Amino acid sequence: MKLRVNGKDHHVDVEDDMPLLWVLRDELGLMGTKYGCGIAQCGACTVHMDGIAVRSCQLAAADVDGDITTIEGLGTPESLHAVQEAWVETQVAQCGYCQSGQIMQVASFLDMNPEPTDDQIDAAMSGNLCRCGAYPRIRAAIRSAAGKMAAA
Amino acid sequence: MRILLIAGLLAAAAPLMAAEDQVVISPPAEGSVNLETGLAAWDRIYEVASHPRCSNCHVGDSDQPMWSGPSYGAPRPHGMNIRAGDSRIGAETIPCRTCHVTNETGGNDMPHGAPQVADAWQLPPVEADWFGRTSDEICAQLRDPERNDGRTFMELADHLGHDVILHWAWNPGGTREAAPYSLQEHVDDLLIWGVAGMPCHFD
C-alpha cells in the first residue's frame, strides 16, 4: 500500500491491520516515534494525519487516510518548528522517551487552538504521559511556543 | 411499510459488524399497539438508553464522557482529563479521533484500547442528557421535538439505523458489556413505542 510520510511517498507491503506505528518504525526506519503502551493511554506514539494528532499504535495501516507527519518531518535541525525551538530553550526533556509524542501533540493542538487557556493546555496534554514528571516544563514550553507562533 | 437496509453502508467497511448492522425499519400498523405494550417497549428502550454503552457519552451539559459499567468499577469521568468542549469533538483540546481513530476495517477488539468505528467519534448533543437520568426524564426528552432534534419516532428509528457510533453499543469489543437486546430489537421497540403514541409512565 501507498503512504505519504513527511512529504515522501512510500510503498509498503504490510498487513492491513498492522498499526501505523510498526510501519513507521519497522518498515520505514523512522525511529523517532515511540512505543509506550499500545492502547492509546500514553501518547508516546503520536504523529499527525493531515495535521491532526493521532495515536499511531491505534491506526491500522489500511485506515491511514491522509498525509502522515512524524517528529522527523515536523522541522529540520536548521529550521526547527516553534514547538521544538521552545522545547530546546526550556530544556523540557529529561529522559526524552515521551517527548516526540508530546511535541507532536502540542504542534497539532496549537495549530487548532493558537491561544489556549491553562485549563485547555492541561486537557489537551493529559493523554501524554511523562514518567520523568516534566509537566511543569512542558506547560512552560507550550506557552512559549504559543507566543512564538503568535509573533511569527 | 417502510424498509430500510443499510447493509451497504458497512458491509465493505466493517465485515465483523456487517451482519448486525442490517436494520429493517418496519413499524406496526397504526392503532395496533395498546398503551401497555407501548410502555413495555419504552421500558426496554430505557434499559438500552441507560446502559453504560449508551449513557456514558450522553452526558448533557458536561463535556466529559463517563467511564462506567461492569468492567470499570465505580463510575468516573473518562481518564486522561478528556474534555470534548463546546465542539463535542474535542477540537479545543484533543480531538476524540486522536485515539478513537476512524476505523474502516472492523473495530477495535483490544481490551482497554480506544473504541473505534467507521465514523468520527464524538459526544451527542447537550440536549440528549441521559447519564444518571430516570426513565421518566429520558422518556420526556426523547419525545420532545425541542430536545430530540425535531425528530418523529420514524426519524428516531432512521437515525438509529444510520449512526455507526450507536451501533458500536451492541458490538463494543474488548471486555466491554454490550447494550441489551440487539440493534434491530431496539429499533423495533422504538417503533412499537412510537405507534403507541410515545407514552411515558407519568402520563
Side-chain angles (χ1 to χ4, degrees):
Chain A
M1 70 184 70
K2 193 174 134 186
L3 298 175
R4 191 163 177 83
V5 181
N6 297 335
K8 285 187 196 154
D9 287 330
H10 297 271
H11 290 272
V12 292
D13 182 18
V14 300
E15 297 291 327
D16 283 357
D17 63 354
M18 178 185 269
L20 173 63
L21 176 58
W22 302 137
V23 179
L24 295 172
R25 290 183 58 88
D26 294 351
E27 300 292 323
L28 304 182
L30 296 168
M31 310 294 248
T33 308
K34 303 302 189 208
Y35 173 83
C37 68
I39 54 172
Q41 302 250 346
C42 80
C45 67
T46 305
V47 301
H48 295 175
M49 184 161 71
D50 284 345
I52 305 287
V54 291
R55 306 294 191 236
S56 62
C57 73
Q58 294 294 293
L59 187 62
D63 284 325
V64 172
D65 181 22
D67 290 3
I68 299 297
T69 306
T70 69
I71 190 72
E72 290 90 344
L74 190 67
T76 65
E78 296 74 37
S79 174
L80 294 175
H81 187 281
V83 175
Q84 291 169 315
E85 207 174 86
W87 238 249
V88 173
E89 287 169 7
T90 315
Q91 286 294 291
V92 171
Q94 186 163 328
C95 88
Y97 193 82
C98 69
Q99 298 296 321
S100 74
Q102 303 272 4
I103 290 169
M104 295 308 284
Q105 186 66 42
V106 174
S108 168
F109 169 51
L110 291 180
D111 189 41
M112 291 192 301
N113 189 349
E115 296 176 13
T117 63
D118 284 354
D119 280 352
Q120 287 175 331
I121 290 175
D122 287 352
M125 300 307 297
S126 291
N128 286 81
L129 303 185
C130 172
R131 290 208 50 192
C132 301
Y135 301 114
R137 296 198 297 277
I138 290 172
R139 263 194 223 107
I142 293 172
R143 290 190 198 105
S144 164
K148 285 174 188 291
M149 290 164 79
Chain B
M1 186 170 88
R2 184 171 165 206
I3 295 195
L4 176 70
L5 287 169
I6 60 155
L9 185 70
L10 286 162
L16 296 174
M17 294 187 275
E20 289 84 1
D21 280 329
Q22 298 181 15
V23 177
V24 178
I25 296 187
S26 172
E30 196 148 334
S32 70
V33 182
N34 63 26
L35 179 64
E36 191 186 354
T37 306
L39 286 173
W42 167 257
D43 288 340
R44 292 190 295 273
I45 294 169
Y46 176 67
E47 280 184 67
V48 173
S50 60
H51 186 276
R53 289 294 79 68
C54 300
S55 66
N56 279 348
C57 286
H58 282 270
V59 289
D61 279 338
S62 169
D63 69 346
Q64 287 187 287
M66 294 296 289
W67 279 356
S68 75
S71 51
Y72 289 94
R76 60 189 187 277
H78 189 303
M80 297 168 270
N81 191 25
I82 291 301
R83 313 301 299 249
D86 289 341
S87 68
R88 311 298 273 181
I89 59 169
E92 298 86 345
T93 54
I94 180 168
C96 306
R97 63 171 161 150
T98 288
C99 300
H100 298 273
V101 300
T102 300
N103 183 321
E104 304 282 357
T105 53
N108 186 0
D109 282 339
M110 197 184 296
H112 312 296
Q116 300 170 356
V117 295
D119 199 0
W121 202 257
Q122 59 186 300
L123 283 191
V126 172
E127 293 77 14
D129 180 6
W130 298 354
F131 191 87
R133 299 284 173 197
T134 64
S135 167
D136 284 351
E137 286 169 328
I138 298 177
C139 187
Q141 282 176 33
L142 260 185
R143 70 181 183 183
D144 177 2
E146 295 286 322
R147 291 183 286 172
N148 76 5
D149 205 20
R151 291 185 172 106
T152 63
F153 75 86
M154 284 296 285
E155 286 164 340
L156 285 174
D158 191 59
H159 171 60
L160 274 165
H162 279 97
D163 192 321
V164 294
I165 296 185
L166 307 185
H167 298 181
W168 167 84
W170 285 277
N171 190 13
T175 52
R176 302 174 193 92
E177 184 181 277
Y181 309 107
S182 66
L183 172 61
Q184 182 64 58
E185 287 170 312
H186 184 56
V187 167
D188 290 344
D189 279 334
L190 203 88
L191 295 169
I192 293 167
W193 178 62
V195 169
M198 301 169 108
C200 297
H201 285 287
F202 60 84
D203 291 334

